[in-house]
Amino acid sequence: MSVALIRVVSPNYELCKLGFFETPTKLVDSSRFTRSNKIKNVGYKKHKCNSSYFDSFGESDFRDLKNGRKRKSDVVSRVVVANPTGELAVSSEQMVYDVVLKQAALVKEHIRAREDLEVKPDIVLPGTLSLLNEAYDRCGEVCAEYAKTFYLGTRLMPPQRQKAFWAIYVWCRRTDELVDGPNASHITPKALDRWESRLEDLFNGRPFDMLDAALSDTVSKFPIDIQPFKDMIQGMRMDLVKSRYKTFDELYLYCYYVAGTVGLMSVPVAGIDPESQATTESVYNDALSLGIANQLTNILRDVGEDARRGRVYLPQDELAQAGLSDEDIFAGNVTDKWRSFMKKQIKRARSFFDEAEEGARQLSPASRWPVWASLLLYRQILDEIEANDYNNFTRRAYVSKAKKIVKLPIAYAKSLVPPTSRNGVLMKIIGM
């Protein structure tokens, strides 16, 4: 049953009245997204938790740090590592995989109950349909403004799915702007706690404003678990207090929080092809890999920008192994040591993209093209870093519109290949 629009208020309502800030100000709310107010780009900073997944269209014993490739068969068999005190601690990747298993189980239950992932007609409460339509329209406008190419991809999907993607995107963007938006200096851990409480309300059918209502309606129709949304908020908490990552295991968890979560949110909406022979868990794991790959790409692209903010989103132990330090990054000199270090980091990011490709093949036909386009377009940023001779201190890797256009028909061709043909003759014919 569609969610009731309880406590839907005017889009101009100031969220500071909920106590989000310690000082009176306005949080990013739906007033910024009304048709009467032009949407302004306030400028993304580091994690781009939503845009890293959307905008391009928008040697350890647990992970081979040499190439960064995950081994799914090892996930369960290597679940713990020893910390300095001798106690056993769950690795970051196992923590994340537990969320994958939970979401996959939810989808399986949904499939058993409804036979497939197609959205079915709901009973709409009197007076709510027009408000919901307006809420989704607002979300679509935001997506069109900030994730232009992805927005065009969503337009190829059935209406229910495209609206659901818009609602997820807007929530992610609003969450991101809590710590990277114009009012970021006013945000405290308590503010994020209140935002999480508001998230729980909308999952329980009690949206606060119209944009919340769109997501509340979406999660009532698709088998979407709340945990990835909570985990994204946890990533925002990390950004308030953390600017260094000792190991890749720490960085991996951060990448999951701010970008991998979007993959887990998206698969229930994208749907899995009924012909797919892959396990639900593996499809979710591959979607997670796409989010990780996008975020690692963001990090490598924005090294100079982050350094100017006093942040280093690179594994400290790997920097040390390469003979580098934070001071070298702040100095911004492209040396042979830096080139060698960057080659390894790019190789790791590409390995995550490679893994994500398998999951893209398993999605429903209506969703494959946008996802393939996102994957192919975003990974081109890594090519541009190389073309810039690894100077990501003063030069921003940028993929031209012409290069993007070239990739779109390739993405479309890949999207036509059904899951059962992924190793067949058709893939060879189109150069896959």
Side-chain angles (χ1 to χ4, degrees):
M1 184 173 182
S2 292
V3 61
L5 297 186
I6 301 174
R7 285 198 302 162
V8 174
V9 299
S10 166
N12 295 315
Y13 191 94
E14 293 187 358
L15 298 187
C16 62
K17 293 179 182 178
L18 283 180
F20 273 84
F21 299 108
E22 301 302 324
T23 57
T25 185
K26 181 183 286 187
L27 179 65
V28 176
D29 69 16
S30 53
S31 65
R32 299 186 61 245
F33 306 139
T34 59
R35 292 189 181 91
S36 60
N37 295 306
K38 181 175 178 58
I39 301 172
K40 297 181 180 180
N41 191 336
V42 296
Y44 258 109
K45 294 184 182 178
K46 170 78 258 87
H47 41 74
K48 303 185 195 286
C49 62
N50 48 17
S51 63
S52 66
Y53 200 90
F54 293 110
D55 282 359
S56 59
F57 193 94
E59 298 222 72
S60 76
D61 61 343
F62 191 76
R63 173 182 292 279
D64 182 356
L65 294 180
K66 184 177 181 181
N67 58 26
R69 178 119 179 127
K70 286 188 293 185
R71 305 183 187 90
K72 294 190 186 71
S73 61
D74 291 348
V75 171
V76 178
S77 62
R78 302 179 184 179
V79 297
V80 293
V81 294
N83 63 25
T85 64
E87 299 175 342
L88 294 180
V90 178
S91 73
S92 293
E93 192 162 344
Q94 178 59 32
M95 290 171 60
V96 173
Y97 194 66
D98 288 343
V99 180
V100 170
L101 293 177
K102 182 180 179 182
Q103 176 65 85
L106 183 63
V107 170
K108 290 177 180 177
E109 179 182 349
H110 182 79
I111 293 175
R112 285 193 297 268
R114 304 180 67 170
E115 298 182 353
D116 56 57
L117 283 175
E118 295 300 322
V119 178
K120 304 202 174 165
D122 291 288
I123 300 174
V124 180
L125 296 180
T128 65
L129 182 58
S130 61
L131 290 173
L132 273 175
N133 287 337
E134 183 177 356
Y136 278 120
D137 286 345
R138 300 284 177 85
C139 290
E141 290 173 1
V142 178
C143 188
E145 175 70 17
Y146 293 106
K148 293 179 176 63
T149 312
F150 179 81
Y151 172 77
L152 293 177
T154 63
R155 299 296 290 179
L156 302 173
M157 297 179 178
Q160 288 284 9
R161 289 183 179 178
Q162 64 179 254
K163 291 179 179 179
F165 271 119
W166 298 344
I168 292 172
Y169 173 85
V170 167
W171 185 88
C172 290
R173 184 171 185 86
R174 297 172 88 187
T175 301
D176 189 29
E177 289 195 349
L178 289 172
V179 297
D180 265 352
N183 296 306
S185 61
H186 299 285
I187 292 295
T188 66
K190 288 183 179 179
L192 293 175
D193 290 343
R194 296 185 186 106
W195 185 248
E196 183 171 344
S197 176
R198 176 167 162 172
L199 170 72
E200 293 171 349
D201 283 344
L202 75 83
F203 261 81
N204 289 322
R206 299 190 299 273
F208 178 77
D209 64 10
M210 293 185 71
L211 299 182
D212 281 356
L215 181 59
S216 191
D217 183 63
T218 290
V219 301
S220 74
K221 293 178 177 178
F222 294 91
I224 301 174
D225 186 53
I226 194 174
Q227 193 59 48
F229 294 83
K230 287 188 171 185
D231 287 344
M232 180 174 284
I233 296 173
Q234 182 60 26
M236 304 304 109
R237 292 189 179 99
M238 290 177 68
D239 258 340
L240 292 179
V241 299
K242 194 175 180 70
S243 62
R244 298 292 188 279
Y245 295 85
K246 295 180 181 179
T247 65
F248 181 73
D249 191 60
E250 282 191 7
L251 184 63
Y252 175 88
L253 186 60
Y254 173 74
C255 289
Y256 160 70
Y257 282 148
V258 301
T261 48
V262 184
L264 302 188
M265 299 172 192
S266 301
V267 174
V269 177
I272 300 175
D273 194 315
E275 301 299 321
S276 173
Q277 298 178 11
T279 65
T280 306
E281 292 85 355
S282 69
V283 175
Y284 272 91
N285 213 45
D286 292 339
L288 168 65
S289 292
L290 180 55
I292 299 294
N294 287 342
Q295 183 59 23
L296 290 176
T297 300
N298 280 343
I299 288 170
L300 299 180
R301 178 194 61 196
D302 298 339
V303 167
E305 177 185 329
D306 293 331
R308 288 187 285 276
R309 298 169 56 217
R311 292 181 173 273
V312 178
Y313 290 88
L314 298 167
Q316 294 288 306
D317 60 343
E318 295 180 27
L319 281 171
Q321 291 168 11
L324 297 166
S325 65
D326 289 354
E327 286 68 29
D328 293 302
I329 294 176
F330 296 145
N333 296 321
V334 180
T335 63
D336 288 341
K337 287 182 179 180
W338 178 251
R339 293 186 184 94
S340 178
F341 173 80
M342 281 300 301
K343 288 177 182 178
K344 293 179 180 179
Q345 301 302 310
I346 289 175
K347 182 178 181 181
R348 171 187 285 148
R350 283 181 173 144
S351 73
F352 278 101
F353 278 120
D354 291 342
E355 187 168 289
E357 289 190 5
E358 184 59 32
R361 297 185 183 106
Q362 312 306 318
L363 298 178
S364 65
S367 304
R368 285 201 293 262
W369 189 13
V371 174
W372 269 111
S374 174
L375 192 158
L376 296 180
L377 294 177
Y378 220 78
R379 75 184 300 168
Q380 284 188 103
I381 294 174
L382 300 174
D383 301 334
E384 296 303 316
I385 294 175
E386 292 174 332
N388 290 341
D389 191 29
Y390 305 99
N391 181 6
N392 44 4
F393 298 116
T394 60
R395 298 184 64 183
R396 183 179 176 86
Y398 171 76
V399 181
S400 68
K401 183 177 294 186
K403 289 183 179 180
K404 289 180 179 180
I405 291 175
V406 169
K407 287 293 183 181
L408 291 179
I410 298 175
Y412 180 69
K414 288 178 177 288
S415 72
L416 296 178
V417 180
T420 54
S421 300
R422 61 183 179 273
N423 293 318
V425 176
L426 182 56
M427 290 179 62
K428 296 179 181 179
I429 293 177
I430 65 174
M432 296 175 65

PDB file of all heavy atoms in Angstrom, residues 63-90:
ATOM      1  N   ARG A  63      42.631  -9.360   1.000  1.00  0.00           N
ATOM      2  CA  ARG A  63      42.505  -8.742  -0.324  1.00  0.00           C
ATOM      3  C   ARG A  63      43.876  -8.659  -0.940  1.00  0.00           C
ATOM      4  O   ARG A  63      44.832  -8.298  -0.299  1.00  0.00           O
ATOM      5  CB  ARG A  63      41.912  -7.340  -0.209  1.00  0.00           C
ATOM      6  CG  ARG A  63      41.913  -6.601  -1.524  1.00  0.00           C
ATOM      7  CD  ARG A  63      41.370  -5.207  -1.336  1.00  0.00           C
ATOM      8  NE  ARG A  63      39.965  -5.243  -1.028  1.00  0.00           N
ATOM      9  CZ  ARG A  63      39.022  -5.378  -1.935  1.00  0.00           C
ATOM     10  NH1 ARG A  63      39.326  -5.455  -3.194  1.00  0.00           N
ATOM     11  NH2 ARG A  63      37.752  -5.415  -1.584  1.00  0.00           N
ATOM     12  N   ASP A  64      43.974  -9.017  -2.203  1.00  0.00           N
ATOM     13  CA  ASP A  64      45.223  -8.911  -2.921  1.00  0.00           C
ATOM     14  C   ASP A  64      45.450  -7.438  -3.217  1.00  0.00           C
ATOM     15  O   ASP A  64      44.937  -6.892  -4.176  1.00  0.00           O
ATOM     16  CB  ASP A  64      45.142  -9.718  -4.223  1.00  0.00           C
ATOM     17  CG  ASP A  64      46.440  -9.681  -4.988  1.00  0.00           C
ATOM     18  OD1 ASP A  64      47.357  -8.976  -4.541  1.00  0.00           O
ATOM     19  OD2 ASP A  64      46.529 -10.354  -6.031  1.00  0.00           O
ATOM     20  N   LEU A  65      46.234  -6.772  -2.379  1.00  0.00           N
ATOM     21  CA  LEU A  65      46.430  -5.342  -2.538  1.00  0.00           C
ATOM     22  C   LEU A  65      47.228  -4.996  -3.776  1.00  0.00           C
ATOM     23  O   LEU A  65      47.300  -3.843  -4.183  1.00  0.00           O
ATOM     24  CB  LEU A  65      47.122  -4.763  -1.295  1.00  0.00           C
ATOM     25  CG  LEU A  65      46.295  -4.810  -0.021  1.00  0.00           C
ATOM     26  CD1 LEU A  65      47.086  -4.218   1.119  1.00  0.00           C
ATOM     27  CD2 LEU A  65      44.981  -4.092  -0.200  1.00  0.00           C
ATOM     28  N   LYS A  66      47.807  -5.995  -4.370  1.00  0.00           N
ATOM     29  CA  LYS A  66      48.563  -5.720  -5.588  1.00  0.00           C
ATOM     30  C   LYS A  66      47.648  -5.315  -6.720  1.00  0.00           C
ATOM     31  O   LYS A  66      47.950  -4.434  -7.505  1.00  0.00           O
ATOM     32  CB  LYS A  66      49.378  -6.955  -5.989  1.00  0.00           C
ATOM     33  CG  LYS A  66      50.273  -6.721  -7.202  1.00  0.00           C
ATOM     34  CD  LYS A  66      51.102  -7.954  -7.491  1.00  0.00           C
ATOM     35  CE  LYS A  66      52.016  -7.705  -8.692  1.00  0.00           C
ATOM     36  NZ  LYS A  66      52.824  -8.892  -9.013  1.00  0.00           N
ATOM     37  N   ASN A  67      46.501  -5.981  -6.812  1.00  0.00           N
ATOM     38  CA  ASN A  67      45.578  -5.618  -7.887  1.00  0.00           C
ATOM     39  C   ASN A  67      44.189  -5.261  -7.374  1.00  0.00           C
ATOM     40  O   ASN A  67      43.326  -4.874  -8.144  1.00  0.00           O
ATOM     41  CB  ASN A  67      45.466  -6.743  -8.926  1.00  0.00           C
ATOM     42  CG  ASN A  67      45.005  -8.058  -8.314  1.00  0.00           C
ATOM     43  OD1 ASN A  67      44.335  -8.068  -7.289  1.00  0.00           O
ATOM     44  ND2 ASN A  67      45.374  -9.150  -8.949  1.00  0.00           N
ATOM     45  N   GLY A  68      43.959  -5.397  -6.073  1.00  0.00           N
ATOM     46  CA  GLY A  68      42.708  -4.955  -5.487  1.00  0.00           C
ATOM     47  C   GLY A  68      41.513  -5.815  -5.816  1.00  0.00           C
ATOM     48  O   GLY A  68      40.391  -5.482  -5.522  1.00  0.00           O
ATOM     49  N   ARG A  69      41.694  -6.955  -6.424  1.00  0.00           N
ATOM     50  CA  ARG A  69      40.561  -7.755  -6.861  1.00  0.00           C
ATOM     51  C   ARG A  69      40.031  -8.592  -5.708  1.00  0.00           C
ATOM     52  O   ARG A  69      40.783  -9.276  -5.022  1.00  0.00           O
ATOM     53  CB  ARG A  69      40.985  -8.678  -7.990  1.00  0.00           C
ATOM     54  CG  ARG A  69      39.853  -9.583  -8.455  1.00  0.00           C
ATOM     55  CD  ARG A  69      39.531  -9.343  -9.884  1.00  0.00           C
ATOM     56  NE  ARG A  69      38.478 -10.218 -10.343  1.00  0.00           N
ATOM     57  CZ  ARG A  69      37.399  -9.763 -10.932  1.00  0.00           C
ATOM     58  NH1 ARG A  69      37.234  -8.486 -11.116  1.00  0.00           N
ATOM     59  NH2 ARG A  69      36.479 -10.590 -11.380  1.00  0.00           N
ATOM     60  N   LYS A  70      38.746  -8.551  -5.508  1.00  0.00           N
ATOM     61  CA  LYS A  70      38.134  -9.351  -4.450  1.00  0.00           C
ATOM     62  C   LYS A  70      37.938 -10.772  -4.923  1.00  0.00           C
ATOM     63  O   LYS A  70      37.681 -11.027  -6.078  1.00  0.00           O
ATOM     64  CB  LYS A  70      36.768  -8.778  -4.060  1.00  0.00           C
ATOM     65  CG  LYS A  70      36.860  -7.532  -3.253  1.00  0.00           C
ATOM     66  CD  LYS A  70      35.502  -7.163  -2.753  1.00  0.00           C
ATOM     67  CE  LYS A  70      34.605  -6.764  -3.889  1.00  0.00           C
ATOM     68  NZ  LYS A  70      33.297  -6.284  -3.446  1.00  0.00           N
ATOM     69  N   ARG A  71      38.028 -11.685  -4.003  1.00  0.00           N
ATOM     70  CA  ARG A  71      37.693 -13.074  -4.291  1.00  0.00           C
ATOM     71  C   ARG A  71      36.455 -13.407  -3.491  1.00  0.00           C
ATOM     72  O   ARG A  71      36.505 -13.537  -2.279  1.00  0.00           O
ATOM     73  CB  ARG A  71      38.828 -14.007  -3.885  1.00  0.00           C
ATOM     74  CG  ARG A  71      40.184 -13.672  -4.492  1.00  0.00           C
ATOM     75  CD  ARG A  71      41.191 -14.717  -4.049  1.00  0.00           C
ATOM     76  NE  ARG A  71      42.532 -14.393  -4.448  1.00  0.00           N
ATOM     77  CZ  ARG A  71      43.367 -13.674  -3.705  1.00  0.00           C
ATOM     78  NH1 ARG A  71      42.958 -13.196  -2.554  1.00  0.00           N
ATOM     79  NH2 ARG A  71      44.582 -13.426  -4.124  1.00  0.00           N
ATOM     80  N   LYS A  72      35.309 -13.527  -4.154  1.00  0.00           N
ATOM     81  CA  LYS A  72      34.068 -13.772  -3.415  1.00  0.00           C
ATOM     82  C   LYS A  72      34.127 -15.070  -2.638  1.00  0.00           C
ATOM     83  O   LYS A  72      33.541 -15.210  -1.588  1.00  0.00           O
ATOM     84  CB  LYS A  72      32.877 -13.795  -4.381  1.00  0.00           C
ATOM     85  CG  LYS A  72      32.593 -12.463  -5.044  1.00  0.00           C
ATOM     86  CD  LYS A  72      31.283 -12.544  -5.776  1.00  0.00           C
ATOM     87  CE  LYS A  72      31.039 -11.283  -6.570  1.00  0.00           C
ATOM     88  NZ  LYS A  72      31.919 -11.153  -7.719  1.00  0.00           N
ATOM     89  N   SER A  73      34.839 -16.060  -3.178  1.00  0.00           N
ATOM     90  CA  SER A  73      34.896 -17.354  -2.496  1.00  0.00           C
ATOM     91  C   SER A  73      35.637 -17.257  -1.181  1.00  0.00           C
ATOM     92  O   SER A  73      35.516 -18.122  -0.326  1.00  0.00           O
ATOM     93  CB  SER A  73      35.585 -18.384  -3.399  1.00  0.00           C
ATOM     94  OG  SER A  73      36.915 -17.971  -3.689  1.00  0.00           O
ATOM     95  N   ASP A  74      36.438 -16.175  -1.022  1.00  0.00           N
ATOM     96  CA  ASP A  74      37.210 -16.032   0.198  1.00  0.00           C
ATOM     97  C   ASP A  74      36.483 -15.219   1.264  1.00  0.00           C
ATOM     98  O   ASP A  74      36.936 -15.128   2.383  1.00  0.00           O
ATOM     99  CB  ASP A  74      38.550 -15.334  -0.091  1.00  0.00           C
ATOM    100  CG  ASP A  74      39.482 -16.216  -0.899  1.00  0.00           C
ATOM    101  OD1 ASP A  74      39.166 -17.410  -1.017  1.00  0.00           O
ATOM    102  OD2 ASP A  74      40.498 -15.712  -1.407  1.00  0.00           O
ATOM    103  N   VAL A  75      35.360 -14.614   0.889  1.00  0.00           N
ATOM    104  CA  VAL A  75      34.721 -13.672   1.798  1.00  0.00           C
ATOM    105  C   VAL A  75      34.340 -14.313   3.115  1.00  0.00           C
ATOM    106  O   VAL A  75      34.578 -13.774   4.174  1.00  0.00           O
ATOM    107  CB  VAL A  75      33.488 -13.035   1.129  1.00  0.00           C
ATOM    108  CG1 VAL A  75      32.694 -12.235   2.143  1.00  0.00           C
ATOM    109  CG2 VAL A  75      33.920 -12.136  -0.013  1.00  0.00           C
ATOM    110  N   VAL A  76      33.726 -15.488   3.039  1.00  0.00           N
ATOM    111  CA  VAL A  76      33.269 -16.130   4.257  1.00  0.00           C
ATOM    112  C   VAL A  76      34.393 -16.887   4.955  1.00  0.00           C
ATOM    113  O   VAL A  76      34.448 -16.955   6.172  1.00  0.00           O
ATOM    114  CB  VAL A  76      32.102 -17.083   3.937  1.00  0.00           C
ATOM    115  CG1 VAL A  76      31.650 -17.806   5.188  1.00  0.00           C
ATOM    116  CG2 VAL A  76      30.939 -16.300   3.356  1.00  0.00           C
ATOM    117  N   SER A  77      35.326 -17.426   4.186  1.00  0.00           N
ATOM    118  CA  SER A  77      36.373 -18.253   4.788  1.00  0.00           C
ATOM    119  C   SER A  77      37.417 -17.432   5.510  1.00  0.00           C
ATOM    120  O   SER A  77      38.157 -17.953   6.315  1.00  0.00           O
ATOM    121  CB  SER A  77      37.048 -19.104   3.706  1.00  0.00           C
ATOM    122  OG  SER A  77      37.666 -18.280   2.735  1.00  0.00           O
ATOM    123  N   ARG A  78      37.503 -16.135   5.188  1.00  0.00           N
ATOM    124  CA  ARG A  78      38.493 -15.299   5.845  1.00  0.00           C
ATOM    125  C   ARG A  78      37.783 -14.124   6.504  1.00  0.00           C
ATOM    126  O   ARG A  78      37.895 -12.993   6.059  1.00  0.00           O
ATOM    127  CB  ARG A  78      39.506 -14.786   4.829  1.00  0.00           C
ATOM    128  CG  ARG A  78      40.234 -15.882   4.089  1.00  0.00           C
ATOM    129  CD  ARG A  78      41.199 -15.282   3.087  1.00  0.00           C
ATOM    130  NE  ARG A  78      41.842 -16.309   2.293  1.00  0.00           N
ATOM    131  CZ  ARG A  78      42.706 -16.057   1.334  1.00  0.00           C
ATOM    132  NH1 ARG A  78      43.023 -14.822   1.042  1.00  0.00           N
ATOM    133  NH2 ARG A  78      43.259 -17.028   0.645  1.00  0.00           N
ATOM    134  N   VAL A  79      37.056 -14.392   7.530  1.00  0.00           N
ATOM    135  CA  VAL A  79      36.168 -13.380   8.095  1.00  0.00           C
ATOM    136  C   VAL A  79      36.797 -12.569   9.210  1.00  0.00           C
ATOM    137  O   VAL A  79      36.267 -11.534   9.576  1.00  0.00           O
ATOM    138  CB  VAL A  79      34.874 -14.028   8.622  1.00  0.00           C
ATOM    139  CG1 VAL A  79      34.122 -14.664   7.496  1.00  0.00           C
ATOM    140  CG2 VAL A  79      35.167 -15.044   9.712  1.00  0.00           C
ATOM    141  N   VAL A  80      37.914 -13.007   9.773  1.00  0.00           N
ATOM    142  CA  VAL A  80      38.472 -12.286  10.894  1.00  0.00           C
ATOM    143  C   VAL A  80      39.962 -12.071  10.705  1.00  0.00           C
ATOM    144  O   VAL A  80      40.635 -12.807   9.999  1.00  0.00           O
ATOM    145  CB  VAL A  80      38.241 -13.052  12.225  1.00  0.00           C
ATOM    146  CG1 VAL A  80      36.776 -13.105  12.573  1.00  0.00           C
ATOM    147  CG2 VAL A  80      38.816 -14.460  12.157  1.00  0.00           C
ATOM    148  N   VAL A  81      40.453 -11.025  11.343  1.00  0.00           N
ATOM    149  CA  VAL A  81      41.881 -10.753  11.359  1.00  0.00           C
ATOM    150  C   VAL A  81      42.267 -10.427  12.791  1.00  0.00           C
ATOM    151  O   VAL A  81      41.435 -10.042  13.605  1.00  0.00           O
ATOM    152  CB  VAL A  81      42.235  -9.564  10.431  1.00  0.00           C
ATOM    153  CG1 VAL A  81      41.980  -9.915   8.981  1.00  0.00           C
ATOM    154  CG2 VAL A  81      41.438  -8.331  10.810  1.00  0.00           C
ATOM    155  N   ALA A  82      43.526 -10.577  13.113  1.00  0.00           N
ATOM    156  CA  ALA A  82      43.996 -10.309  14.466  1.00  0.00           C
ATOM    157  C   ALA A  82      44.416  -8.851  14.582  1.00  0.00           C
ATOM    158  O   ALA A  82      45.132  -8.338  13.732  1.00  0.00           O
ATOM    159  CB  ALA A  82      45.173 -11.221  14.800  1.00  0.00           C
ATOM    160  N   ASN A  83      43.968  -8.182  15.645  1.00  0.00           N
ATOM    161  CA  ASN A  83      44.407  -6.810  15.873  1.00  0.00           C
ATOM    162  C   ASN A  83      45.627  -6.827  16.800  1.00  0.00           C
ATOM    163  O   ASN A  83      46.018  -7.885  17.298  1.00  0.00           O
ATOM    164  CB  ASN A  83      43.250  -5.970  16.433  1.00  0.00           C
ATOM    165  CG  ASN A  83      42.772  -6.474  17.783  1.00  0.00           C
ATOM    166  OD1 ASN A  83      43.520  -7.108  18.520  1.00  0.00           O
ATOM    167  ND2 ASN A  83      41.523  -6.171  18.118  1.00  0.00           N
ATOM    168  N   PRO A  84      46.253  -5.667  17.028  1.00  0.00           N
ATOM    169  CA  PRO A  84      47.482  -5.633  17.830  1.00  0.00           C
ATOM    170  C   PRO A  84      47.341  -6.219  19.221  1.00  0.00           C
ATOM    171  O   PRO A  84      48.324  -6.644  19.815  1.00  0.00           O
ATOM    172  CB  PRO A  84      47.814  -4.135  17.884  1.00  0.00           C
ATOM    173  CG  PRO A  84      47.213  -3.577  16.632  1.00  0.00           C
ATOM    174  CD  PRO A  84      45.938  -4.363  16.437  1.00  0.00           C
ATOM    175  N   THR A  85      46.145  -6.249  19.782  1.00  0.00           N
ATOM    176  CA  THR A  85      45.962  -6.777  21.130  1.00  0.00           C
ATOM    177  C   THR A  85      45.780  -8.285  21.132  1.00  0.00           C
ATOM    178  O   THR A  85      45.645  -8.889  22.181  1.00  0.00           O
ATOM    179  CB  THR A  85      44.736  -6.129  21.795  1.00  0.00           C
ATOM    180  OG1 THR A  85      43.559  -6.489  21.059  1.00  0.00           O
ATOM    181  CG2 THR A  85      44.874  -4.612  21.803  1.00  0.00           C
ATOM    182  N   GLY A  86      45.772  -8.883  19.954  1.00  0.00           N
ATOM    183  CA  GLY A  86      45.599 -10.319  19.866  1.00  0.00           C
ATOM    184  C   GLY A  86      44.159 -10.750  19.742  1.00  0.00           C
ATOM    185  O   GLY A  86      43.857 -11.921  19.569  1.00  0.00           O
ATOM    186  N   GLU A  87      43.202  -9.784  19.817  1.00  0.00           N
ATOM    187  CA  GLU A  87      41.803 -10.113  19.689  1.00  0.00           C
ATOM    188  C   GLU A  87      41.434 -10.250  18.220  1.00  0.00           C
ATOM    189  O   GLU A  87      42.117  -9.749  17.341  1.00  0.00           O
ATOM    190  CB  GLU A  87      40.952  -9.019  20.342  1.00  0.00           C
ATOM    191  CG  GLU A  87      41.213  -8.844  21.837  1.00  0.00           C
ATOM    192  CD  GLU A  87      40.432  -7.663  22.389  1.00  0.00           C
ATOM    193  OE1 GLU A  87      39.994  -6.828  21.580  1.00  0.00           O
ATOM    194  OE2 GLU A  87      40.274  -7.585  23.606  1.00  0.00           O
ATOM    195  N   LEU A  88      40.348 -10.955  17.962  1.00  0.00           N
ATOM    196  CA  LEU A  88      39.896 -11.127  16.598  1.00  0.00           C
ATOM    197  C   LEU A  88      38.927 -10.017  16.224  1.00  0.00           C
ATOM    198  O   LEU A  88      38.019  -9.699  16.980  1.00  0.00           O
ATOM    199  CB  LEU A  88      39.213 -12.495  16.428  1.00  0.00           C
ATOM    200  CG  LEU A  88      40.132 -13.706  16.592  1.00  0.00           C
ATOM    201  CD1 LEU A  88      39.341 -14.985  16.410  1.00  0.00           C
ATOM    202  CD2 LEU A  88      41.275 -13.653  15.596  1.00  0.00           C
ATOM    203  N   ALA A  89      39.147  -9.421  15.067  1.00  0.00           N
ATOM    204  CA  ALA A  89      38.290  -8.326  14.598  1.00  0.00           C
ATOM    205  C   ALA A  89      37.804  -8.630  13.194  1.00  0.00           C
ATOM    206  O   ALA A  89      38.546  -9.157  12.376  1.00  0.00           O
ATOM    207  CB  ALA A  89      39.068  -7.007  14.613  1.00  0.00           C
ATOM    208  N   VAL A  90      36.569  -8.320  12.940  1.00  0.00           N
ATOM    209  CA  VAL A  90      36.012  -8.544  11.607  1.00  0.00           C
ATOM    210  C   VAL A  90      36.581  -7.509  10.659  1.00  0.00           C
ATOM    211  O   VAL A  90      36.673  -6.337  10.978  1.00  0.00           O
ATOM    212  CB  VAL A  90      34.471  -8.428  11.651  1.00  0.00           C
ATOM    213  CG1 VAL A  90      33.880  -8.612  10.260  1.00  0.00           C
ATOM    214  CG2 VAL A  90      33.887  -9.461  12.602  1.00  0.00           C
TER     215      VAL A  90
END
